[in-house]
Amino acid sequence: MESTRGAERARTAAEIRRRELLEAADRVVLRDGPQASMNAIAAEAGITKPILYRHFGDKGGLYRALAKRHTDALLSALRAALDAPAERRARVEATLDTYLAAIEARPQVYRFLMHPADGADSAISAEASLSTEQGFDVGRHSAPLLRRLGEELGQVIAERVDLGPDSELTARIWGHGIVGMMHAAGDWWLGDRPCSRERLVRSLADLLWGRLAEAGDRDVKGGPGF
């Protein structure tokens, strides 16, 4: 019994320490964006780089942990927008706006996750950047973020919208298509700022609205459709 309690305490302490290290990593990413390095993160946390590796395995492990942390938060916000007590069009716009507001509010985090090469021309060498360190393929780690968002959104659509025959497959196609659209349009907008966020939201909602306006809701207990 005592050994079990000891193991639980050790596990809890490790989880707390891991969370503290991720918070330190977040602070560095918010400050340095794509230039964030393992050395800087270790210094921010007050530890050595080998200890940082011990908690996350390698550069990919830390990147995946940070990506999951931010993707979880984004998915929670998107689900809240989808669950809001409003008409479908308003919820579609709120969902699009939630994504765009998230990347606008933390552009350094977005660039760290999706555009690590942006830091390559800085005074910090490419070898120093977490995302461009030798042996680290950011594309292999960042692509699953969009895939996960697409699967999650497809599941929500499948649960709430009646798309007729092969509804589940159609919902998955829509989920990945909508996420791809949000990512591509948001990436362009964040870089060029050609219009207001509100204008972009309205235009993207117009693009989606045709079939969505026609589809029926499924019977969803405890909440609206889509």
Side-chain angles (χ1 to χ4, degrees):
M1 181 67 70
E2 183 60 33
S3 63
T4 300
R5 285 197 293 267
E8 290 176 351
R9 284 195 295 269
R11 185 166 54 251
T12 299
E15 290 172 353
I16 292 172
R17 186 57 174 150
R18 182 183 173 90
R19 185 168 61 248
E20 290 172 347
L21 293 176
L22 285 174
E23 288 169 355
D26 259 346
R27 291 193 295 273
V28 174
V29 170
L30 283 170
R31 184 187 72 217
D32 298 341
Q35 302 166 19
S37 68
M38 294 291 280
N39 285 331
I41 292 169
E44 177 70 22
I47 60 174
T48 62
K49 192 160 69 168
I51 294 176
L52 191 60
Y53 280 126
R54 190 183 307 158
H55 282 273
F56 295 99
D58 59 10
K59 294 177 286 291
L62 177 58
Y63 183 94
R64 286 191 298 273
L66 283 169
K68 184 179 186 304
R69 178 183 177 92
H70 289 286
T71 304
D72 285 348
L74 178 57
L75 283 169
S76 178
L78 291 173
R79 282 191 172 272
L82 289 167
D83 287 339
E87 295 297 321
R88 182 184 290 177
R89 171 74 187 214
R91 279 183 280 121
V92 169
E93 292 190 1
T95 302
L96 294 168
D97 188 62
T98 295
Y99 174 84
L100 295 170
I103 67 172
E104 182 181 35
R106 308 188 84 183
Q108 290 285 64
V109 173
Y110 174 79
R111 293 186 180 106
F112 170 80
L113 294 174
M114 294 299 177
H115 292 286
D118 288 354
D121 296 329
S122 70
I124 299 177
S125 69
E127 286 75 20
S129 168
L130 168 63
S131 303
T132 55
E133 284 185 12
Q134 185 176 6
F136 185 82
D137 178 5
V138 71
R140 183 165 60 87
H141 298 292
S142 60
L145 305 186
L146 298 176
R147 183 178 291 266
R148 181 185 173 200
L149 287 172
E151 287 292 335
E152 291 273 353
L153 183 56
Q155 182 179 344
V156 170
I157 294 171
E159 291 170 352
R160 302 175 186 214
V161 182
D162 184 0
L163 296 174
D166 294 325
S167 185
E168 184 173 344
L169 175 59
T170 302
R172 289 186 71 192
I173 293 170
W174 280 26
H176 287 286
I178 292 170
V179 166
M181 180 192 73
M182 288 194 302
H183 171 61
D187 194 78
W188 163 72
W189 171 77
L190 192 64
D192 293 355
R193 294 302 178 106
C195 62
S196 68
R197 197 174 82 218
E198 292 76 15
R199 170 64 187 278
L200 182 60
V201 166
R202 288 197 306 273
S203 296
L204 293 179
D206 286 342
L207 181 62
L208 292 171
W209 190 237
R211 180 75 189 279
L212 270 175
E214 299 172 357
D217 279 336
R218 291 191 182 277
D219 184 16
V220 181
K221 294 182 178 179
F226 181 61

